[in-house]
Amino acid sequence: MLTMKRYLIILYAVVAALASSVASGAESADRILNVNVHLIAGLSNTTNNYVKCFPEISDLNSSVGQSLGVGVDGVMMLGRRWGIGTAINFIHTSRRMDMAVSGFSAKSVSNVFQRNSYYVIDVPIYARWHTRIASEVRWNIDGGIYYSYGTGGKQKNTIYDAKINDLGQLFTTRTELEAGYYNDGNAFVNSYRRADVGLHIATGLTFKRHITVGLRAHLGLKDVSRNTGIVNPSARNVDLMALLGWTF
């Protein structure tokens, strides 16, 4: 009789555990894969060492560009806290730069005003850690790498040349120079390589399991400058962007 009771207790425990597992799985099935669509906007910059490479360049001012785009990401949860994710974002960025370029003599100087406009597709791959910080609020931290590819863009330069002639008269000329942003030998100083890789760091909050807000930073590790001359300046991409999205 004791043996029968023991078997019944074991069987009951197994059935209860299976039922609990199935119920838990049914409740969390929609959280195994989280898909999010989002708007993305922020600041972007491309660092350079023009002044170091070209002594003729002075008064270099590089403004931080404005970026705007859309994207979708998916995160597969591997447990209560951890997951792996990826995303694809399409982003447009516009930024400006100006500089003074002196000629071979003190009698000539050029002021260059450059406008860059370009489009990028970026794909981050990352690990995610998240936790609940309130009854309907989750906080996440992401870390990983990204790959980006430039789909197109333009570089427009307005160049004002100021010269003093032999009579001591100052006169100026204006030149418009337009080139492709990527892989164009006609660009002023340099154009840029399409592909880039770097670090992806992000954090965010999810409210009521659907509304998401966050910040992300991309730190480029690759020299994306493309120059056909003897002197090769370097350039790296850096951006900081905010995200607003909806998780399904």
Side-chain angles (χ1 to χ4, degrees):
M1 191 69 175
L2 291 176
T3 302
M4 182 61 68
K5 282 186 176 180
R6 185 177 300 169
Y7 285 140
L8 288 175
I9 291 172
I10 293 174
L11 181 60
Y12 177 82
V14 171
V15 172
L18 290 174
S20 176
S21 177
V22 171
S24 176
E27 291 177 359
S28 61
D30 60 338
R31 295 194 296 271
I32 294 176
L33 179 62
N34 297 319
V35 178
N36 176 274
V37 294
H38 53 260
L39 298 175
I40 184 168
L43 305 176
S44 180
N45 195 21
T46 301
T47 64
N48 62 67
N49 60 346
Y50 288 174
V51 175
K52 181 179 179 180
C53 292
F54 303 99
E56 297 84 3
I57 294 179
S58 61
D59 297 328
L60 177 64
N61 299 300
S62 182
S63 64
V64 176
Q66 298 177 347
S67 299
L68 183 65
V70 296
V72 58
D73 65 65
V75 178
M76 178 175 291
M77 301 310 300
L78 304 179
R80 295 183 60 189
R81 304 279 188 199
W82 292 94
I84 55 174
T86 187
I88 182 167
N89 303 298
F90 183 69
I91 301 171
H92 171 256
T93 299
S94 60
R95 59 183 178 82
R96 296 173 180 266
M97 180 168 57
D98 63 83
M99 67 190 81
V101 183
S102 59
F104 292 104
S105 67
K107 293 185 177 182
S108 65
V109 64
S110 299
N111 291 300
V112 182
F113 298 88
Q114 185 180 100
R115 291 169 292 169
N116 294 292
S117 176
Y118 53 94
Y119 297 88
V120 170
I121 293 176
D122 74 48
V123 181
I125 300 174
Y126 52 88
R128 167 166 291 185
W129 176 86
H130 75 164
T131 186
R132 189 185 300 274
I133 60 174
S135 60
E136 293 187 332
V137 182
R138 284 186 175 273
W139 172 45
N140 69 272
I141 298 176
D142 303 341
I145 61 174
Y146 76 87
Y147 172 84
S148 68
Y149 185 82
T151 60
K154 292 183 179 181
Q155 181 192 94
K156 296 182 179 181
N157 299 279
T158 302
I159 305 172
Y160 296 92
D161 294 310
K163 297 182 179 180
I164 300 177
N165 61 20
D166 294 336
L167 300 176
Q169 297 171 319
L170 177 66
F171 65 96
T172 61
T173 58
R174 172 176 169 168
T175 304
E176 298 287 342
L177 174 63
E178 184 171 328
Y181 185 79
Y182 296 108
N183 300 336
D184 193 332
N186 295 320
F188 185 81
V189 183
N190 66 275
S191 60
Y192 297 89
R193 302 182 189 277
R194 292 183 183 272
D196 187 25
V197 294
L199 300 178
H200 169 87
I201 304 169
T203 187
L205 297 172
T206 302
F207 300 91
K208 297 185 178 181
R209 298 177 58 185
H210 293 295
I211 302 171
T212 59
V213 294
L215 287 173
R216 76 147 212 206
H218 279 179
L219 307 175
L221 300 178
K222 181 180 178 181
D223 180 4
V224 294
S225 174
R226 184 180 184 276
N227 188 282
T228 57
I230 298 176
V231 180
N232 293 303
S234 64
R236 285 178 170 78
N237 294 318
V238 180
D239 69 50
L240 177 64
M241 300 193 188
L243 294 89
L244 175 64
W246 181 269
T247 298
F248 294 94

